[in-house]
Amino acid sequence: MDDRFKGRSIRQSFDWKLVGIYLALVVIGWLNIYAAVHSSEPSSIFDFSLNCGKQFVWICTALVLAALILFVIPPRLWESTSVLLYCLVIVLLVAVIFLGVDIKGSRSWFAIGPVRFQPAEISKITTSLLLANILSKPNFRITRMKDFLLAAAVIAVPMLIIVAEKETGSALVYVGFIFMLYREGLSGWFLAAIGLAILTFILTLTASAYTSILVIIAIVSLVVYLDRGKFLRWLCTFGIYVFIMAMLPGWWAALLERLVPGASLIGQADPWVEQAILSSSKWAPLARVNLLYVLLATALPAIPFFLIRSYRERNSFMGMAVPTLIAGVLLVFSTEYIFNDILQDHQRNRIEVLLGLKEDPSGAGYNVNQSMIAIGSGGLTGKGYLHGTQTTYGFVPEQSTDFIFCTVGEEWGFVGCFVVILLYVLLIWGIIVDAEHSRQHFTRIYGYCLASCLFMHLFINIGMTIGLMPVIGIPLPLMSYGGSSLWTFTIMIFIFLVLDHEEKKYF
Amino acid sequence: MKIERSHKLLIGLVVVAAVLLTRLFTIQILDDSYKIDATNNSMVYDIIYPTRGVIYDRNGEIIVGNKVAYDIMVTPKEVQPFDTLLLAAVLDVPVESIRTKMAEYRKNRRKIGYQTMVMFKQLPSETFMKFAEVEYKFPGFKGQVRSIRDYPVNAGGNLLGYVSEVDAAYLKKHPGEYRSGDYAGKTGIEAAREKELRGEKGYHIYLRNSHNQIESRYRDGEFDKEAVPGNDIVTTIDATLQQYGQELMRNKVGSVVAIEPSTGEILSLVSSPGIDVEMLADIGKHYGEIMSDPYKPMFNRAVQAPYPPGSVFKLVNGLIGLQEGVLEPSYTYPCSMGYHFGKRKLGCHAHRSPLNLEEAIMMSCNGYFCYVLKNTLENRRYPDVESAFDRWREYVLSFGFGQKLGSDFPAELGGTIPTSAYYDRIYGRGGWKFTTIISLSIGQGEIGVTPLQIANLCATVANRGYYYIPHIVKESEGVSIDPKYKERKYTLVDTTQFHKVINGMWRAVNSGYGSGGTASVAAVPGLDICGKTGTAQNPRGADNSVFICFAPRENPKIAIAAYLENAGFGATWAAPIASLMIEKYLTGEISESRKPLEQRVLEGDLMSRVKKD
C-alpha cells in the first residue's frame, strides 16, 4: 500500500538482504571469538571477563546504534553535517597523538576508564561522508585538477595523521578510496600507475634496480605503442632493446670473466683480493662499469623521441609516458631509502618475510607461520567448532582480533572460509548495486566509499592471515573483536541503508 | 566493447575473492605441509643458556669462574599426585615450600597453561644427583642445568659485582635483550662488561603434539641457533694484591685504590666493608642482610664516597703555585703552630720553622700552604679573587677532580670542587676573600674527592704531570676498550714542576724517624717510596687517615691511595696499609722487619670508631 505522503514503509523499501548478511557476519564473528578465547578450561560465551562476553556487549550496543540511525536521526542530517563531523574527527585524530595511550608503539587510542576507542576508525565514516558531499556537488569534475586535488586532500589529511599515529595499517585502507574515485571518473591509468608503483617496489627489493627499471621501460613503452595499435613496431624497436638489455648482465659477466679473471668476485671479496684482481689485467677498469647506468644512458634518447612525437601528434597520452618513466626510475632509486629509512623496523621485517627475503619463524614470520598452520590444518571441512588445536592452545597471537579468520579456517575449513568470503562479496556487491541504482549522487558515492573500505579491510586482513600480504594489523570488518571497529562498520552500513531506504520511499 | 566502470569494479571484487579462495584452497586442501605442522601442533623453543664469560686478573688467574648448579623445573599440567615428603627430603627443602608453590601453581593454572616453571633455583650438583635417582617418581618435574658464578679468590664483592635475575625494570630498560629468568651483571665488573660477558642465548626448536609431548626437531634443526658463550674478560686487577688489600682492610672502613701509573690500569680497588664473595654467588638470599647492614657494604666507597682529601691536596696547591709563578722551591715561610690571620689561626703541628717547599711537604706544614694558596688567589695578574679562584679551579679539574674520571667502572661519582659562583651565592659577590676559604689550602672545606681520584692524583704525580683514565678492563681477544684509556691526559701544570714536589714526597718517607718526615713508617729499604700523608677532619668523629704513595721514584710501577674513615693520623693506618701493599706488589712478600707492622694492621679493628647510621 503506497502512502503518498509517508512514502513506502521500511518493510517494503529496505534492503533486508544486506541486513541479513550483516547480522550473519556479526554472529559468525562472535561465535568464532568464543572459539578463539576458548581454552582447555571451558567458560561461558557470556563470560564478561573474556573477549567473547565483551563482544556481546559491543554487538548489543551496535544494534542500538543501528536502530538510532534508522529511526531517530533524520537521514538528511548526514549530508548537511558532513563538514562539521569531518573537522571534529580531524581534531580528535590530532588530539589522540598527545592525549592517547601507547598501545604496542602506536598512539591512536583514547582510554576513557576501561573503554578504549580509536578515532582512526570513526574517521572512515566522516571521510566517506565528506567525500560523498563534495563529489556530489553539481559542478564537481574529478578530471579537473583543482577538484581532484580537493578530493585527494580530503583523503590524505586523515591518512597522514593516522600515519603519524603509527597506525600505518589503518592508513592503508584510505588508499581504497581510489576505487570510488575511479567509479566517479578518475582515469583508469591512475589505478594502473599505483599497480606499477607497487610492482616496482617489490621488484627492486626482490630482484634488482636494473630489472625493475627494465620492466618499467618495457611496460610503459608497450602501453604507448598498444594505445596506437602498433604492437609489431614495438616488437621491432623496444622489444629488441628490452631483450638485449635483459640478456646484457649475463653476457657482460661472461665477457668480463674472460678479460679479467675473477671479476665476478669484485664487490664481494675482501679489498686485498679485489685489488689483486684489478691489477691483473689491463681490462680491469671495465669491471667497475655499473650496468644500471648503461641502461639509463641507452634509455635516455627515448625521452626526446617520445616528447617530440607526442607534440607532433598532439598525443598527450604519449607525453605522459615520459613523466611516468622518470617517476618510475626515481621510485626505484628511492625504494632503498623508503624501505630502510621511512618504514619502521617491524614493517620492514614483515615485508621481508612476505617477499621471502628473510626467514624468521620466531619473529615477524611467527604470526604468519602459525596462522597459516592453523588455517591450512583446517582442510576441507575443518576440525569442528571448538575443536581446533591451534586455536585452543593459543599458538596464534591476536587471535580474537586481527587473526580471527584463523579460527574460521581451522575449525570450519575451506567450506567455512568460502561461506565467509562469499558473505563479504555479497555484502559489497549488494552495496555497489544499491549504490548504482540510487538517483542521489550522495548516496551512490557514499555507497562506493563504504564498499571500498570493506574491500580493503577484507583483502588486507584475509591476505595477511594466508601470507599474501605483510602483517598489517587491521581488523576483519564485523567479525574481529573490538568495539571501535564493529561500531564503525555498523554505523557506516546503516547510514547507507537508511539513505538508500529514504530514496526508495518515494521512487 | 566497453564495460561500465561499476562492472569493472565488480569483476575486480570477484577476482580478488577468487585469489583469496584459490590461496585458501591451496593451503587447506592441496598442500599437506601445513597439516603435518599442525598435527605436530607447534614449535617449542628450548632455550640454551650460554656460559658467562670468565673474569681473569692481569696475570691470567681466574677471579670469577663458573660452576654447575641445577634448577628444579616443574610443568604443573603434567604433575601427578606425588610423595611430597620424599621430594622435600631429596631436594633438602622444607615440605611447606613445596606445598605453597604447588598451591600457587594451581591458583594460576589458567595463566600457566602448559608452561614450565622454575620451582627451586641453583641447587648444588649433589642434591640434584639424589633427585635424579628418584626422578621417575615425579612426573612433571625435571632438573635443568645452569651455570652459576664461582669465586676462587676473594677479590672483593664490590669490585667484581654480582649477577642476579633481571627484574621488570631492567627488562624495560633493555628491550629485546633479556627474557624474564635471565641473569645479568648488576654492579662492578659484571655490570661494566655485561655485554661481553653474557654471550648469546641459543635455542633448539622442537615440535610438540597436542598432548604437549616433544615429537621431533623442527625441520631437522635448520632454524636452531646455538648459544654463543660470553667473552672472557681480562681485568687489570692483580688478584694477589687485591686479596692482600682485602685482608689488610678487614675490620676497617675505607678504601684502597692502586693504579699502574704508566697505563692507568687499576691494580686493586678495595672498598671496606664490602660484600663477601661467598654472598655474591647467591645474592638474593643475602640481599636483606646486606641492605640492613649499618656500614652499607653495597656502597662502593672507592669510587663513590666524596671525602675531603686532607693534606695530600697540598701537592696540588703546591704545583699550582709553582706553575702560576707565585712559588719557588726555595721560598720559605714561617709557621708558629699555624697560620695566623686576624685573631684566628689555622693550626699546625710542632715542627721547626721556617721551611722551604720540600720540607713543607715532608713535614706537611699547614701554614706554608696557606701562604701558597694566598699568593695564588691574591695574584696581581687577576683582577679579583673570583677570577683567580676560577683559574685555580681549572687547574684542580685538570687533575681529574670535581668530575667523573670516566673510568669503565660503573656507578663512579665525581666528587665536588666548588666554583666561585658557589661562594658568591653564599657570601655575595666580593663578600669573600682568601681567608674565607683558607681551608682549601690543606684540602679541607667545601671539597669532596673519591679515593679513586686521590689514587689518580698519585699516579699523575708519579708520571710527572699526566695520567691515563683509570680502568679495570684490559684489551683482549674479542674485548676492546675505549681508545680514551690509551690517551695521556696532561694537567695544566708543566711536567718540569713535578720533581720539585716529588723530592718532598721522597723525603717524607725516607728521612728516617726523628727527621720530622711524616711518613717514615712507610719506608721500605730499596723501594724508593715517595708518599704524602693526610689527616682529614671528619665531622662525624675522629679524623680520617689518608696516604698516597708511589714507588719506585723513577719509572714508578704502582701508585696507591689509602683512605680510612675515623682512623686518625695518616701515618697511623693509611701509610702502613699502602706501603705494605706496595711492598707486596713489588717484592712479592713482606720483609721480616716489617712483619710486626703487618701483624698490627691485620689485627687492627677500627669498626667501633665509625659511627653507624
Side-chain angles (χ1 to χ4, degrees):
Chain A
M1 290 293 120
D2 284 14
D3 183 322
R4 222 167 267 279
F5 302 101
K6 280 189 174 168
R8 295 190 196 107
S9 76
I10 200 155
R11 216 186 298 168
Q12 292 164 304
S13 65
F14 201 63
D15 196 338
W16 287 106
K17 191 172 77 260
L18 291 186
V19 178
I21 298 172
Y22 165 84
L23 287 174
L25 285 172
V26 168
V27 171
I28 292 175
W30 181 42
L31 292 176
N32 280 297
I33 291 167
Y34 176 59
V37 296
H38 175 82
S39 66
S40 38
E41 303 271 336
S43 53
S44 155
I45 193 167
F46 295 106
D47 184 337
F48 292 109
S49 68
L50 294 174
N51 278 357
C52 52
K54 291 187 203 157
Q55 182 74 352
F56 180 68
V57 178
W58 290 122
I59 292 173
C60 294
T61 47
L63 291 177
V64 172
L65 273 179
L68 282 178
I69 292 167
L70 285 183
F71 304 112
V72 181
I73 304 168
R76 289 282 151 242
L77 209 61
W78 297 113
E79 186 168 0
S80 51
T81 55
S82 61
V83 180
L84 181 71
L85 289 174
Y86 180 84
C87 294
L88 207 68
V89 170
I90 292 292
V91 171
L92 282 179
L93 279 177
V94 175
V96 81
I97 298 180
F98 303 102
L99 306 175
V101 288
D102 203 320
I103 294 178
K104 290 184 202 143
S106 84
R107 284 197 160 269
S108 62
W109 293 83
F110 276 117
I112 306 157
V115 183
R116 293 201 292 224
F117 96 105
Q118 206 181 12
E121 289 287 343
I122 320 179
S123 144
K124 281 196 274 271
I125 314 176
T126 54
T127 310
S128 301
L129 286 170
L130 186 62
L131 279 173
N133 185 352
I134 291 174
L135 267 71
S136 60
K137 291 277 183 299
N139 54 354
F140 185 93
R141 296 277 174 282
I142 189 79
T143 43
R144 200 157 50 194
M145 198 43 134
K146 187 176 69 110
D147 290 349
F148 170 70
L149 287 179
L150 178 64
V154 170
I155 299 171
V157 168
M159 189 168 159
L160 291 177
I161 301 175
I162 293 170
V163 169
E165 289 170 7
K166 300 201 174 147
E167 271 287 320
T168 327
S170 303
L172 205 58
V173 173
Y174 288 73
V175 175
F177 285 123
I178 197 139
F179 296 121
M180 180 276 296
L181 293 177
Y182 171 72
R183 164 62 186 83
E184 294 305 314
L186 186 71
S187 165
W189 294 111
F190 233 90
L191 287 182
I194 287 182
L196 189 60
I198 293 172
L199 181 71
T200 310
F201 191 75
I202 293 175
L203 267 183
T204 311
L205 291 179
T206 52
S208 66
Y210 185 90
T211 321
S212 181
I213 289 179
L214 192 62
V215 168
I216 297 176
I217 293 174
I219 293 180
V220 171
S221 59
L222 181 64
V223 166
V224 167
Y225 277 77
L226 279 180
D227 177 58
R228 296 156 73 230
K230 290 178 175 161
F231 178 67
L232 268 182
R233 183 172 287 179
W234 179 84
L235 215 55
C236 298
T237 53
F238 275 92
I240 294 173
Y241 171 74
V242 168
F243 177 75
I244 292 174
M245 292 317 278
M247 303 308 284
L248 187 63
W251 294 342
W252 182 250
L255 179 72
L256 263 186
E257 195 59 46
R258 185 163 292 183
L259 294 176
V260 189
S264 58
L265 291 176
I266 289 185
Q268 291 153 33
D270 68 282
W272 187 86
V273 175
E274 207 163 280
Q275 205 50 50
I277 294 170
L278 286 176
S279 54
S280 68
S281 160
K282 61 174 173 167
W283 298 103
L286 282 181
R288 294 242 178 260
V289 173
N290 187 339
L291 287 185
L292 183 58
Y293 296 111
V294 175
L295 176 68
L296 288 178
T298 51
L300 211 59
I303 291 177
F305 170 75
F306 274 139
L307 282 179
I308 292 166
R309 287 291 285 274
S310 73
Y311 180 71
R312 244 189 241 155
E313 299 174 18
R314 301 280 179 273
N315 184 340
S316 64
F317 186 76
M318 202 169 189
M320 279 309 286
V322 175
T324 312
L325 269 179
I326 293 172
V329 172
L330 288 180
L331 180 66
V332 169
F333 283 115
S334 54
T335 293
E336 293 266 307
Y337 171 72
I338 295 175
F339 193 66
N340 290 324
D341 296 300
I342 294 190
L343 291 184
Q344 293 163 8
D345 281 346
H346 67 274
Q347 292 167 336
R348 190 161 50 238
N349 250 330
R350 290 163 179 180
I351 293 177
E352 280 175 343
V353 168
L354 177 80
L355 296 179
L357 298 176
K358 194 164 138 186
E359 288 237 21
D360 184 10
S362 59
Y366 178 82
N367 292 10
V368 176
N369 201 7
Q370 289 299 331
S371 128
M372 284 174 70
I373 289 174
I375 294 176
S377 66
L380 181 64
T381 51
K383 298 175 185 165
Y385 187 52
L386 301 184
H387 284 91
T389 46
Q390 300 301 100
T391 338
T392 311
Y393 295 121
F395 288 119
V396 185
E398 302 290 337
Q399 209 179 47
S400 55
T401 56
D402 294 348
F403 281 90
I404 188 70
F405 193 70
C406 293
T407 320
V408 180
E410 188 184 14
E411 301 194 343
W412 302 92
F414 181 72
V415 175
C417 294
F418 184 84
V419 170
V420 167
I421 291 178
L422 185 69
L423 284 173
Y424 278 112
V425 170
L426 289 177
L427 180 68
I428 298 172
W429 186 289
I431 290 168
I432 290 180
V433 168
D434 280 348
E436 281 297 331
H437 287 162
S438 164
R439 289 175 181 77
Q440 298 269 355
H441 290 336
F442 182 83
T443 311
R444 183 186 68 230
I445 296 164
Y446 178 77
Y448 267 97
C449 286
L450 168 58
S452 304
C453 285
L454 281 169
F455 172 78
M456 288 302 278
H457 272 267
L458 175 74
F459 179 55
I460 293 175
N461 182 285
I462 296 185
M464 152 184 98
T465 59
I466 55 182
L468 284 178
M469 295 289 282
V471 177
I472 294 168
I474 62 171
L476 189 58
L478 309 178
M479 283 183 60
S480 281
Y481 167 76
S484 284
S485 164
L486 179 63
W487 277 23
T488 302
F489 280 104
T490 305
I491 295 171
M492 279 188 96
I493 291 172
F494 279 87
I495 289 178
F496 177 70
L497 288 172
V498 79
L499 288 172
D500 183 53
H501 160 68
E502 190 65 15
E503 188 177 309
K504 283 185 191 151
K505 266 204 297 206
Y506 301 104
F507 295 109
Chain B
M1 189 185 74
K2 276 281 175 202
I3 311 171
E4 250 184 76
R5 288 193 161 192
S6 64
H7 290 161
K8 280 189 193 167
L9 287 172
L10 287 176
I11 293 168
L13 172 67
V14 173
V15 168
V16 167
V19 168
L20 292 177
L21 285 171
T22 313
R23 174 78 168 175
L24 282 166
F25 190 77
T26 315
I27 65 172
Q28 292 192 301
I29 295 171
L30 299 183
D31 192 340
D32 274 341
S33 63
Y34 296 103
K35 270 172 281 297
I36 293 161
D37 272 346
T39 44
N40 284 326
N41 212 313
S42 192
M43 302 183 286
V44 190
Y45 280 75
D46 187 23
I47 306 277
I48 302 163
Y49 290 93
T51 48
R52 205 170 161 83
V54 168
I55 302 176
Y56 292 96
D57 90 330
R58 60 191 295 114
N59 303 316
E61 195 177 331
I62 294 180
I63 45 182
V64 183
N66 293 311
K67 67 181 173 198
V68 164
Y70 291 86
D71 287 352
I72 298 297
M73 317 285 289
V74 57
T75 313
K77 278 255 178 198
E78 292 173 1
V79 172
Q80 297 191 353
F82 63 93
D83 184 346
T84 321
L85 288 175
L86 176 62
L87 186 66
V90 166
L91 294 180
D92 194 20
V93 291
V95 183
E96 263 324 293
S97 73
I98 295 182
R99 292 215 175 103
T100 47
K101 286 214 160 128
M102 290 315 290
E104 198 183 309
Y105 297 146
R106 168 127 196 92
K107 211 174 97 200
N108 298 322
R109 62 188 184 281
R110 283 196 69 113
K111 223 167 77 191
I112 293 169
Y114 280 99
Q115 286 179 64
T116 302
M117 317 295 287
V118 181
M119 196 169 190
F120 297 105
K121 280 180 191 159
Q122 299 185 3
L123 299 180
S125 311
E126 306 84 70
T127 313
F128 173 72
M129 291 309 156
K130 272 195 268 167
F131 167 75
E133 283 168 19
V134 290
E135 194 179 338
Y136 69 94
K137 291 185 186 165
F138 303 101
F141 290 86
K142 64 173 183 183
Q144 188 181 46
V145 68
R146 223 186 217 296
S147 122
I148 61 168
R149 285 314 222 183
D150 181 39
Y151 303 91
V153 290
N154 179 11
N158 295 87
L159 170 71
L160 302 175
Y162 65 88
V163 173
S164 75
E165 206 173 324
V166 294
D167 55 15
Y170 195 88
L171 281 173
K172 207 170 173 188
K173 233 171 104 187
H174 303 86
E177 293 176 44
Y178 299 90
R179 36 203 307 279
S180 69
D182 283 3
Y183 284 70
K186 295 294 175 61
T187 59
I189 299 173
E190 297 272 22
R193 286 301 174 144
E194 165 66 13
K195 276 210 166 67
E196 279 97 353
L197 287 168
R198 71 180 175 205
E200 263 178 67
K201 289 187 287 287
Y203 46 77
H204 286 168
I205 310 174
Y206 295 99
L207 291 170
R208 74 177 161 200
N209 62 17
S210 52
H211 305 293
N212 198 37
Q213 285 155 347
I214 302 285
E215 295 257 292
S216 65
R217 298 287 280 274
Y218 178 67
R219 296 229 206 149
D220 283 335
E222 194 187 325
F223 288 98
D224 289 1
K225 194 171 156 238
E226 294 308 321
V228 182
N231 275 322
D232 295 344
I233 294 289
V234 178
T235 61
T236 62
I237 299 297
D238 183 300
T240 322
L241 185 67
Q242 174 74 17
Q243 200 168 358
Y244 188 54
Q246 297 278 355
E247 279 167 34
L248 294 177
M249 288 298 286
R250 193 185 310 129
N251 292 330
K252 300 160 194 80
V253 178
S255 350
V256 181
V257 180
I259 296 176
E260 184 175 73
S262 58
T263 55
E265 292 176 355
I266 297 175
L267 298 171
S268 91
L269 189 111
V270 180
S271 173
S272 176
I275 306 166
D276 201 58
V277 288
E278 300 298 317
M279 291 184 178
L280 274 189
D282 194 4
I283 191 95
K285 206 154 139 199
H286 302 282
Y287 203 75
E289 182 188 334
I290 290 169
M291 292 318 272
S292 59
D293 189 319
Y295 295 109
K296 297 191 195 151
M298 256 328 210
F299 180 51
N300 193 337
R301 292 172 167 79
V303 294
Q304 293 186 310
Y307 292 117
S311 298
V312 297
F313 199 70
K314 288 174 184 166
L315 298 174
V316 179
N317 277 330
L319 287 163
I320 296 171
L322 289 165
Q323 179 68 20
E324 284 284 276
V326 297
L327 175 64
E328 286 295 331
S330 56
Y331 285 9
T332 57
Y333 292 107
C335 170
S336 53
M337 295 303 283
Y339 176 86
H340 300 260
F341 54 107
K343 283 184 181 160
R344 301 165 58 199
K345 79 162 184 177
L346 190 148
C348 190
H349 55 95
H351 58 74
R352 64 191 164 77
S353 174
L355 299 174
N356 65 18
L357 175 62
E358 272 182 28
E359 290 161 340
I361 291 174
M362 164 187 167
M363 301 185 199
S364 196
C365 170
N366 287 349
Y368 191 95
F369 286 94
C370 292
Y371 285 105
V372 173
L373 187 67
K374 178 182 193 313
N375 293 344
T376 307
L377 295 182
E378 293 177 356
N379 190 343
R380 291 277 160 81
R381 267 167 59 190
Y382 302 104
D384 50 22
V385 67
E386 275 93 353
S387 33
F389 181 81
D390 285 336
R391 182 64 186 154
W392 173 86
R393 186 170 187 275
E394 278 175 37
Y395 276 111
V396 174
L397 258 55
S398 78
F399 280 85
F401 293 113
Q403 74 232 318
K404 287 181 194 174
L405 279 167
S407 86
D408 50 358
F409 199 82
E412 187 199 341
L413 292 181
T416 47
I417 301 294
T419 58
S420 62
Y422 171 80
Y423 291 115
D424 284 349
R425 239 188 346 269
I426 297 178
Y427 304 107
R429 178 109 186 135
W432 55 282
K433 53 188 181 185
F434 159 65
T435 48
T436 324
I437 56 170
I438 192 166
S439 330
L440 295 181
S441 331
I442 55 164
Q444 295 287 158
E446 301 82 358
I447 178 170
V449 304
T450 64
L452 180 68
Q453 286 172 326
I454 302 177
N456 187 54
L457 165 67
C458 185
T460 311
V461 175
N463 283 336
R464 278 77 170 161
Y466 65 87
Y467 65 91
Y468 292 95
I469 299 174
H471 51 279
I472 47 165
V473 175
K474 269 170 106 83
E475 204 149 35
S476 59
E477 199 184 330
V479 179
S480 58
I481 63 170
D482 196 312
K484 72 179 180 184
Y485 298 122
K486 297 176 194 161
E487 272 169 34
R488 289 181 179 191
K489 302 264 186 191
Y490 280 91
T491 66
L492 295 176
V493 176
D494 292 344
T495 51
T496 48
Q497 310 287 11
F498 280 83
H499 70 274
K500 299 169 188 169
V501 301
I502 290 175
N503 287 342
M505 290 173 72
W506 189 83
R507 287 176 64 181
V509 178
N510 298 300
S511 303
Y513 289 99
S515 64
T518 51
S520 302
V521 67
V524 180
L527 290 190
D528 246 356
I529 297 176
C530 303
K532 178 76 197 79
T533 54
T535 306
Q537 288 163 20
N538 184 337
R540 294 155 51 85
D543 291 347
N544 296 336
S545 169
V546 195
F547 188 65
I548 62 173
C549 60
F550 64 86
R553 177 171 168 160
E554 302 304 328
N555 297 319
K557 296 271 180 293
I558 177 170
I560 192 162
Y563 202 110
L564 282 89
E565 292 179 27
N566 307 113
F569 291 122
T572 326
W573 289 104
I577 290 176
S579 66
L580 283 168
M581 285 184 72
I582 284 202
E583 188 179 2
K584 182 87 171 177
Y585 182 70
L586 293 178
T587 67
E589 56 186 2
I590 302 300
S591 63
E592 220 33 63
S593 61
R594 282 166 57 84
K595 286 277 187 203
L597 180 68
E598 184 189 31
Q599 196 62 29
R600 174 170 80 85
V601 172
L602 288 173
E603 284 167 5
D605 184 347
L606 311 180
M607 299 304 274
S608 55
R609 297 201 203 170
V610 179
K611 275 197 190 151
K612 301 173 200 167
D613 283 302

